[in-house]
Every structure is written in C-alpha cells, then in structure tokens.
Amino acid sequence: MYFINPFYLIKGIFGRTFYIFPERPERIQIEITNRCNYSCGMCPRETFNLPEKDIPFDLFKHIIDRIDSRYNVTLTGWGEPLLHPQLTEMIVYTKNKGHKVGLTTNGLLLAQYTEKFIEIRLDKLTISLDSIDDESGAKEGHPSSKVVQKNVQSLIKLRGEKSTPVITIQITMHDVKQCLDAVRLAGEIGADRVYLIRLNMPMDKSGFKRPGLKEELEIYEKSEQIAREYGLQVDNNYTAFDNILFRFLYKKMRPAMYRFDKYCPKPYDYLYINIDGRVTPCCDLPRHEVGNILKEDIVEIWNSENMQYFRKNQNDICGNCDALRLKQLG
C-alpha cells in the first residue's frame, strides 16, 4: 500500500458524503475520436448522432496546453481510440505535460500498440471484454473475441515485471455466469483489475435485460471470491480506488455518500471534453455544454454558473441514468 495524505483521505470522504465539491476536478476525459470498429447494441453513440471523425492533433495539443495542473486524463470518447492515427503522439504529449494517461479500448487493434504502450509508459489501459464465448448472455455487449483475449495476454506477458500500464478488464454485467467467466479469464491471463459496470439503459435501451440488485450483489461477492485466487482487484459501484485504506473506508461509507446515493458520483470530480473543445459534466450528456476549454480554463468551467446549475438540477437532467448509483432507477 502506498502512502496517502490522511488529510486528503478525510477531506475526500467528507466531501463525497455531503456532496461538497472539490476546488477542481481530478479526472478529465478527452474525446479523441467517434469512429468505432464495433457496433454494440448497448452503446448509445448512434442515438447521440455524433460526427464520426478524429480530433486534429494540433487542436488536441491546444486543449492539453490549456489544462493547468496535473490530472488523470483518459483519451477515450464514443469511439475506438486505437483508430486515431496519432494516438501514440497524443499519449506522449499528454504525459510530457505531467498528466497520468489512460485509455479504454475494445482491444481488437491492440497487437500493433503492445510494445509502444510499454515503451512510452502508458499509465492505465482498460479493455472492454464482456464475454469469453459466443454462448454468453452478453448479446448487446462487446462481442466475444479470441483475438482480443490473445492481444491482452500478449501485452501482459510482454510487460513482465513492469508496473505500467495497469491492465483493467471492464465487464458490463449482463448475467451472473457471463460476468464470473470473464472475471476468471481476467485472473488467468494476469490482469491487474476488473471493473464491473452496470448496463445503463436511459437512451431508448429499456428493452435490454440486466441483473437486478440481488443479482448484482451476488456477482460482486462471487467475483471477489474468484479474485482472491489470482490476486485480482475488483472494482464496482461500491469501490474503485487504488489505495487499500481508501477502498475499505469508501466501501463501508458508500451507502451514505453523495447524500445517501441521491446524486451520481461521476460529476463529483470529473469533466468531459468533446472533440471540438466543448465541455460537459458527463460523457453521457454530449449536448449539455457547461463551457469551452478553448475559451475558459478548467477551474473557471468547474466553478461556473453552468456547472452550479447542473449540480442543482442533476437528477432532472440525467433522468433515469443509474450507471454509477447503488440503487436502480429503471
């Protein structure tokens, strides 16, 4: 366990419990492409009607130059980041500015980046892998792919004893067996973490089947049992932090946090920058602009009237989205 400032720990738990916002966000996600090589039924990208294009590298650099301080930056939008022809240069440029950099990918094109990601010390790599075979219940999720499984395994083998990139297998929960099979695979191939996420259905996807709360808790419990066999960290809506003490305290206090689960955890420390510099409080709200990074800095946007309005009216704006809540709304 690495050292963490006790004051920071206490302040973070207090702030999340009473939903008192920090002075600036900690996480920034940048949309670098909306092109994708998959067409998953659960994905709302077509509903959003986003332009299928890449962010120009010069514009990307301008955005990074305007992000002061150091942040955890994720270079992923509503497309597949590995499709961007200048992805490697973007990672290097962002890291050279002092930020930690992560990606979320479907992993299909990972083989051509394996050595490069290790060489440039990408901090975090999340691979969306919902099922290990075609017989699983994840019909609307990321399709089963032996190619993806092989790509991830090759990356982990090549990484060896190096600490980066940290490898997370992200699993959208469709049913118990599908999740547990994917968790076990993650352990077998040597991933560092798995992240179990709820199938979100606010965008005309209400016909999709997803586990109820009882099944979710069963998935969490059984996933932890499997994870202990492999030394695997399991993240879910109850906990998703690196520090052991913070994870323990967060899990115990999570039901009381965010004003007893009244509000979503995501906007507490997060901003999303889309492909032309407009800023929104969440990736699922591509039209809800609260600022523009090309005209304002992060702190100005974070404390703006638009953000304050969003925070006061979050539940009306977000509707039945319950992706990161403990209770289910739909």
Side-chain angles (χ1 to χ4, degrees):
M1 180 179 70
Y2 60 81
F3 174 79
I4 187 168
N5 187 322
F7 176 73
Y8 174 82
L9 179 65
I10 294 169
K11 183 179 179 182
I13 291 175
F14 182 86
R16 286 175 167 83
T17 300
F18 295 98
Y19 218 52
I20 300 171
F21 289 87
E23 296 175 355
R24 64 181 181 89
E26 294 183 5
R27 301 176 296 140
I28 295 177
Q29 184 171 345
I30 302 177
E31 182 179 271
I32 63 171
T33 183
N34 286 318
R35 296 185 299 122
C36 194
N37 50 357
Y38 274 178
S39 181
C40 304
M42 68 179 185
C43 182
R45 58 190 298 272
E46 292 185 7
T47 304
F48 290 155
N49 194 29
L50 301 172
E52 293 198 4
K53 64 179 184 180
D54 302 332
I55 190 171
F57 188 40
D58 286 342
L59 176 57
F60 175 83
K61 289 191 293 184
H62 187 40
I63 289 173
I64 295 297
D65 290 344
R66 290 188 59 80
I67 298 177
D68 57 350
S69 301
R70 296 181 179 181
Y71 294 91
N72 294 312
V73 177
T74 301
L75 304 182
T76 302
W78 285 108
E80 170 51 50
L82 272 57
L83 287 173
H84 199 294
Q86 292 173 295
L87 174 62
T88 301
E89 292 91 331
M90 289 179 172
I91 297 170
V92 171
Y93 193 84
T94 307
K95 284 185 65 66
N96 285 343
K97 294 292 183 176
H99 307 292
K100 290 188 176 181
V101 182
L103 302 173
T104 299
T105 173
N106 59 42
L108 196 61
L109 303 176
L110 186 57
Q112 60 187 289
Y113 286 97
T114 298
E115 294 184 7
K116 185 61 68 174
F117 283 168
I118 296 172
E119 177 187 335
I120 64 178
R121 298 183 63 82
L122 175 68
D123 294 288
K124 295 183 179 182
L125 182 66
T126 300
I127 300 98
S128 299
L129 183 64
D130 293 341
S131 59
I132 66 171
D133 57 54
D134 294 332
E135 302 303 317
S136 77
K139 303 301 182 184
E140 300 90 8
H142 296 87
S144 169
S145 172
K146 297 298 182 184
V147 172
V148 173
Q149 295 175 33
K150 182 180 178 181
N151 287 347
V152 178
Q153 195 166 11
S154 297
L155 173 59
I156 292 171
K157 183 178 180 180
L158 187 62
R159 184 187 65 173
E161 298 300 317
K162 296 183 176 69
S163 59
T164 57
V166 174
I167 305 297
T168 298
I169 304 298
Q170 180 171 281
I171 305 164
T172 304
M173 295 182 290
H174 295 265
D175 63 45
V176 177
K177 184 179 184 303
Q178 161 257 331
C179 289
L180 299 184
D181 286 348
V183 171
R184 186 169 295 281
L185 173 69
E188 290 174 349
I189 64 177
D192 302 298
R193 308 165 74 157
V194 294
Y195 182 25
L196 300 168
I197 63 174
R198 180 181 290 165
L199 178 61
N200 194 21
M201 301 188 294
M203 303 294 179
D204 300 322
K205 306 290 183 182
S206 57
F208 288 172
K209 177 181 177 294
R210 68 177 184 180
L213 283 175
K214 183 178 179 180
E215 284 181 293
E216 277 190 7
L217 294 175
E218 178 185 355
I219 291 169
Y220 294 163
E221 181 181 356
K222 291 184 176 179
S223 295
E224 290 282 2
Q225 293 172 2
I226 295 171
R228 284 193 287 270
E229 299 177 28
Y230 299 98
L232 189 65
Q233 178 174 311
V234 178
D235 297 326
N236 52 53
N237 282 5
Y238 279 89
T239 185
F241 290 90
D242 296 322
N243 179 270
I244 295 174
L245 179 58
F246 205 176
R247 285 175 62 80
F248 174 78
L249 292 175
Y250 188 88
K251 186 174 183 178
K252 292 296 183 183
M253 298 186 66
R254 176 61 180 87
M257 287 184 173
Y258 311 106
R259 297 188 183 174
F260 293 92
D261 202 39
K262 181 180 179 180
Y263 297 109
C264 176
K266 194 168 196 172
Y268 177 80
D269 62 357
Y270 167 98
L271 283 176
Y272 185 84
I273 301 175
N274 72 15
I275 210 160
D276 57 9
R278 290 180 292 117
V279 179
T280 73
C282 178
C283 57
D284 282 318
L285 297 170
R287 304 284 187 259
H288 192 86
E289 183 177 346
V290 294
N292 191 313
I293 191 61
L294 304 179
K295 301 176 182 178
E296 308 154 272
D297 64 34
I298 290 293
V299 174
E300 286 177 326
I301 296 171
W302 185 248
N303 296 296
S304 66
E305 290 185 8
N306 288 337
M307 277 300 297
Q308 292 178 33
Y309 177 85
F310 170 78
R311 289 167 185 146
K312 291 178 182 177
N313 299 277
Q314 178 188 143
N315 290 334
D316 291 333
I317 294 168
C318 297
N320 287 331
C321 177
D322 58 10
L324 297 178
R325 305 279 279 273
L326 298 187
K327 57 181 176 287
Q328 293 185 349
L329 303 180

